Amino acid sequence: MKIATDTWMLRPQPIDAVFSTVREAGFEYLELSPRPDVMPSYGGRRASKAKIAEIAEASKTHGVEIASIFIEQAWGSSEEDIRRAAVGYWKQTVQLAVDLGCDRINSEFTGRPTAPQAGEAAMRRSLEEVLPLAESEGVTLALEPHPGDWVESGVGAVDFIRGLQSDHVTYLHCVPHTFYLTGVEDERGQFKDVNRDIITYAGDTMDHVHLADTLLPGRTFLNPGSPGVRNHQHLDIGQGDIDWDEVFTALREVGFDGVVSVAVFRHESRVMESLTHNRRIIRERLEGGADQ
């Protein structure tokens, strides 16, 4: 199993500082999240040959491997010009992964939950163009249902991925999305912690997990309110309402041996404290080890 950290909180930092900070926090792997000088969200590649060389040098110098690249592209959009552009950006990201010696790209379904049929149709068209390239290059696409995507259900996402029948598309389980992963509220209008059920159901279809805490939607409010907003957070483990005993027990029971990434976005003012805190808990709960 690889323990990595997302680099979103470090995005303002130069490349070398990103890798050095990750290493100082005790990680040997990172998940390279969107950066304006590499691959921005919903845009095309920015990384030059010189930038690729800079990233490779930082990785070698600090002994930190790129376990995955995370991107956001609207390949599930029902607007055809946007979808086609997203496909082009996806192909650029596959090439970026190859250039960086990384064999994994993580992403979301996108689309809209109010139009699931249009979202699925658009995404299938996109996959028909992107997946052959990924397969030929040996790159795996790990997909997570994000609150607000055309599919929000964890089980629904797993079933869609299994139906593709490709060894190069897998399920990414994102714990801070917990309270939307049933796709619906229960009969009392409450949200459920379904991590254990989905992790068990996903089994070996799941090879990447994002770890961060979140609050029950009813404990946080938007002012002014906005209909349809999927309010959730990416907090340090222990700061929210996730049942972490259930999460870690389920991961051990299924024998998870993929990549786990710290996916905390909230604590840019204390990045080192946040990273070391979460890494320590993951090691203790999944590896049975403690930092010295």
Side-chain angles (χ1 to χ4, degrees), residues 189-250:
Q190 301 295 312
F191 296 86
K192 295 181 179 179
D193 186 330
V194 292
N195 280 296
R196 188 166 190 168
D197 291 343
I198 295 174
I199 288 170
T200 301
Y201 183 78
D204 59 9
T205 303
M206 173 188 67
D207 65 355
H208 202 119
V209 178
H210 282 168
L211 298 180
D213 218 327
T214 192
L215 300 170
L216 279 161
R219 290 189 61 197
T220 56
F221 301 91
L222 298 177
N223 188 17
S226 180
V229 170
R230 271 56 170 175
N231 187 17
H232 70 285
Q233 302 78 35
H234 286 246
L235 307 171
D236 282 344
I237 294 173
Q239 290 186 328
D241 295 316
I242 298 296
D243 186 335
W244 288 101
D245 286 341
E246 291 285 284
V247 172
F248 289 120
T249 296

Side-chain angles (χ1 to χ4, degrees), residues 63 70 84 98 105 115 119 128 148 173 184 251 253 271 281 284 286:
F70 188 88
R84 289 184 63 84
V98 172
I105 301 172
E128 287 174 0
H173 184 68
V184 295
L251 289 173
E253 286 178 347
V271 172
I281 291 175
E284 290 175 351
L286 289 182

Side-chain angles (χ1 to χ4, degrees), residues 6 31-34 68-72 106-108 144 210:
D6 181 274
E31 180 167 337
L32 188 63
S33 59
S68 57
I69 298 170
F70 188 88
I71 64 166
E72 298 170 301
N106 297 343
S107 193
E108 303 163 357
E144 62 173 328
H210 282 168

Side-chain angles (χ1 to χ4, degrees), residues 41-104:
S41 296
Y42 305 108
R45 174 175 175 159
R46 304 295 197 266
S48 63
K49 292 180 180 180
K51 180 63 67 174
I52 294 298
E54 180 185 357
I55 295 171
E57 180 62 26
S59 175
K60 180 180 178 181
T61 298
H62 300 290
V64 176
E65 181 181 331
I66 301 174
S68 57
I69 298 170
F70 188 88
I71 64 166
E72 298 170 301
Q73 300 293 355
W75 61 344
S77 174
S78 57
E79 298 182 45
E80 183 61 12
D81 57 341
I82 292 176
R83 187 199 69 80
R84 289 184 63 84
V87 166
Y89 302 152
W90 255 103
K91 291 179 178 179
Q92 292 173 14
T93 308
V94 172
Q95 186 58 55
L96 174 67
V98 172
D99 291 347
L100 291 174
C102 175
D103 63 0
R104 172 177 300 274

Side-chain angles (χ1 to χ4, degrees), residues 75 104-109 120 123-124 127 131 135 140-146 149-151 153-174 198 201-208:
W75 61 344
R104 172 177 300 274
I105 301 172
N106 297 343
S107 193
E108 303 163 357
F109 283 74
E120 177 170 354
M123 190 169 175
R124 286 189 182 276
L127 280 164
L131 188 52
E135 290 176 335
T140 294
L141 315 181
L143 306 180
E144 62 173 328
H146 190 280
D149 285 354
W150 69 262
V151 59
S153 160
V155 169
V158 171
D159 288 344
F160 175 84
I161 289 166
R162 286 175 175 162
L164 296 173
Q165 300 185 55
S166 171
D167 293 337
H168 288 267
V169 186
T170 59
Y171 173 66
L172 191 164
H173 184 68
C174 190
I198 295 174
Y201 183 78
D204 59 9
T205 303
M206 173 188 67
D207 65 355
H208 202 119

Side-chain angles (χ1 to χ4, degrees), residues 276-292:
T276 54
H277 164 81
N278 292 291
R279 178 180 176 274
R280 176 182 57 79
I281 291 175
I282 293 167
R283 288 202 65 228
E284 290 175 351
R285 299 299 299 271
L286 289 182
E287 293 187 335
D291 294 331
Q292 300 299 315

